[in-house]
Amino acid sequence: MLRFNHVDGEAYGRGRVEEFIGDLKSLEALSQALVEGSAAAAKVVFTVSPSSTTKPATLAQAGNGAIITGRPDDIGVVQVGKTADFSTAYQMVGTLSQRLSEAFLILNVRQSERTTAEEVRMTQMELERQLGGLFSLLTVEFLVPYLNRKLSVAQKTGEIPRLPKGDIVRPTIVAGINALGRGQDRESLAQFLTVVAQTMGPEAIQQYINPDELIKRLAAAQGIDVLNLVKSMQEIQQEQQQAMAQQQQMLAQEQQPQMAAVDQKREQAEAQMMQQQQQTPQPPIQ
C-alpha cells in the first residue's frame, strides 16, 4: 500500500492532509465566512425616514450629481459594522495559511527590495532537505517496485533486450535522501572552490585542482552519467598533440617562402664565388 508517513504500531500509513485536516477545515470555514461577509458588506442599501419629504423612488431614480429635495438626516446607509471581526478572521486566515504553507513545503521567498540571491538559494536548499526526507519512503516503496515491474514487462514483450541476471544492472535511487546527499556534495564542492579562489587566487585552482576529477565529481553530484559526455585525459592529450602538429605545419607553410628566398640567395652567392674563381688567372706551372 502506498503511504506517505509510517506510524509505528499501525498497519496503515497516514497522508499529509490527514495530519493537518483541522487547519484545512478551519481555513475553509474562515475563508467562506470572509467571502460571505465581504459580499454583505459590499451591498449598498439606503434607508429613508417615513416622515421624510424625499420619496424612495426619487432617490432610486436620481442620477450621479442630481439635485433632489430632502434632508440628509432623513437618509441613511445600512452598514455591517463588523470591521473588527473581519480583521480578526483575516489574521487567523493568514496564520493558518502560513502554517499550511510550511507544512506542505511551499516555497515562500521574502518579498522586499533587499532580498538577495543567497537568501533565495538558502530557501531552496531548505526545501530540498525537507523534500528529501519526506519522499524517501515513497521512493523506496513505490518508485523502485514500479520500475522493476516496468522492466520485467518490457523484457517479456521484447521492447528491451534481456538484462543479465544478478546485480549487474539494477535501478538506482536518485531522489529522496540519496539526491539530498548529492546536493550537499555539490554545494560543498562549490563552496570549497570559492574559498580556494578567494584565499589563494583564481590561479590556484588551475595549479592545484585536477579539472578532470572536478568535472566528474560535479557530474556525479548532479546524477549525470559522464560516459561519452566528458572527454578523457587521453583524448585531450591527443587533441593537444594534433593542435600542436597543425600549428607547426602552419608555421612551416608561413616560413616556406622565406626559406626559399634564403636558399636562392645562397645559390646565387655560390654561383658568384664559382665565377670569381674561374675568372682569377692561375699561376704558371714551373
Side-chain angles (χ1 to χ4, degrees):
M1 181 183 64
L2 186 62
R3 54 186 177 175
F4 195 82
N5 288 328
H6 173 67
V7 180
D8 294 336
E10 295 184 357
Y12 59 90
R14 294 183 180 272
R16 194 68 170 173
V17 176
E18 184 179 356
E19 295 181 354
F20 294 91
I21 190 65
D23 288 349
L24 291 172
K25 288 183 177 180
S26 300
L27 180 60
E28 178 67 20
L30 288 174
S31 299
Q32 181 179 359
L34 284 176
V35 171
E36 293 175 352
S38 299
K43 184 178 181 180
V44 180
V45 177
F46 293 95
T47 59
V48 180
S49 175
S51 61
S52 175
T53 58
T54 304
K55 303 298 182 182
T58 304
L59 181 63
Q61 295 174 3
N64 187 22
I67 301 175
I68 59 176
T69 303
R71 293 181 301 178
D73 296 338
D74 294 339
I75 302 173
V77 180
V78 178
Q79 296 183 358
V80 177
K82 303 287 289 183
T83 304
D85 297 337
F86 285 167
S87 177
T88 303
Y90 183 76
Q91 293 177 0
M92 181 55 65
V93 167
T95 302
L96 293 175
S97 299
Q98 179 67 24
R99 191 157 59 191
L100 290 174
S101 297
E102 295 176 355
F104 287 92
L105 307 179
I106 298 176
L107 181 61
N108 187 15
V109 180
R110 183 172 60 91
Q111 300 295 332
S112 67
E113 296 180 355
R114 297 182 179 273
T115 302
T116 61
E118 181 66 18
E119 183 178 352
V120 176
R121 189 181 66 85
M122 293 301 295
T123 305
Q124 292 176 346
M125 289 180 59
E126 182 65 24
L127 183 63
E128 289 180 358
R129 292 191 186 96
Q130 296 181 18
L131 285 174
L134 289 174
F135 287 98
S136 294
L137 185 61
L138 292 178
T139 302
V140 175
E141 294 191 353
F142 171 71
L143 184 58
V144 173
Y146 178 79
L147 180 59
N148 290 332
R149 175 60 181 172
K150 285 294 184 180
L151 289 175
S152 177
V153 173
Q155 293 180 56
K156 291 180 179 179
T157 57
E159 297 180 4
I160 61 174
R162 289 283 181 177
L163 300 177
K165 296 182 179 180
D167 294 337
I168 301 178
V169 178
R170 59 181 179 180
T172 302
I173 302 174
V174 293
I177 296 298
N178 297 285
L180 179 61
R182 290 192 179 98
Q184 290 179 347
D185 292 342
R186 181 182 66 252
E187 294 296 332
S188 300
L189 183 59
Q191 186 177 5
F192 169 73
L193 294 176
T194 303
V195 173
V196 171
Q198 291 177 352
T199 55
M200 303 179 62
E203 62 278 0
I205 296 180
Q206 300 179 357
Q207 183 177 359
Y208 297 102
I209 302 300
N210 185 358
D212 181 48
E213 186 66 22
L214 176 61
I215 293 175
K216 290 181 179 180
R217 293 194 182 188
L218 288 175
Q222 295 285 349
I224 299 175
D225 188 6
V226 298
L227 182 63
N228 298 328
L229 176 64
V230 179
K231 296 179 181 179
S232 61
M233 295 300 297
Q234 292 79 7
E235 294 176 349
I236 295 176
Q237 292 176 358
Q238 291 177 1
E239 291 180 356
Q240 291 177 351
Q241 292 175 0
Q242 292 177 359
M244 292 178 61
Q246 292 178 358
Q247 186 177 5
Q248 292 177 357
Q249 185 177 2
M250 292 177 62
L251 290 175
Q253 292 177 357
E254 292 177 356
Q255 295 176 356
Q256 186 175 3
Q258 299 177 359
M259 297 299 295
V262 172
D263 294 339
Q264 185 177 3
K265 290 182 179 180
R266 186 175 65 252
E267 292 176 356
Q268 291 177 358
E270 292 176 354
Q272 291 178 359
M273 291 179 64
M274 292 179 64
Q275 290 179 359
Q276 291 177 0
Q277 291 177 0
Q278 292 176 359
Q279 293 177 359
T280 301
Q282 299 292 333
I285 300 176
Q286 297 297 329

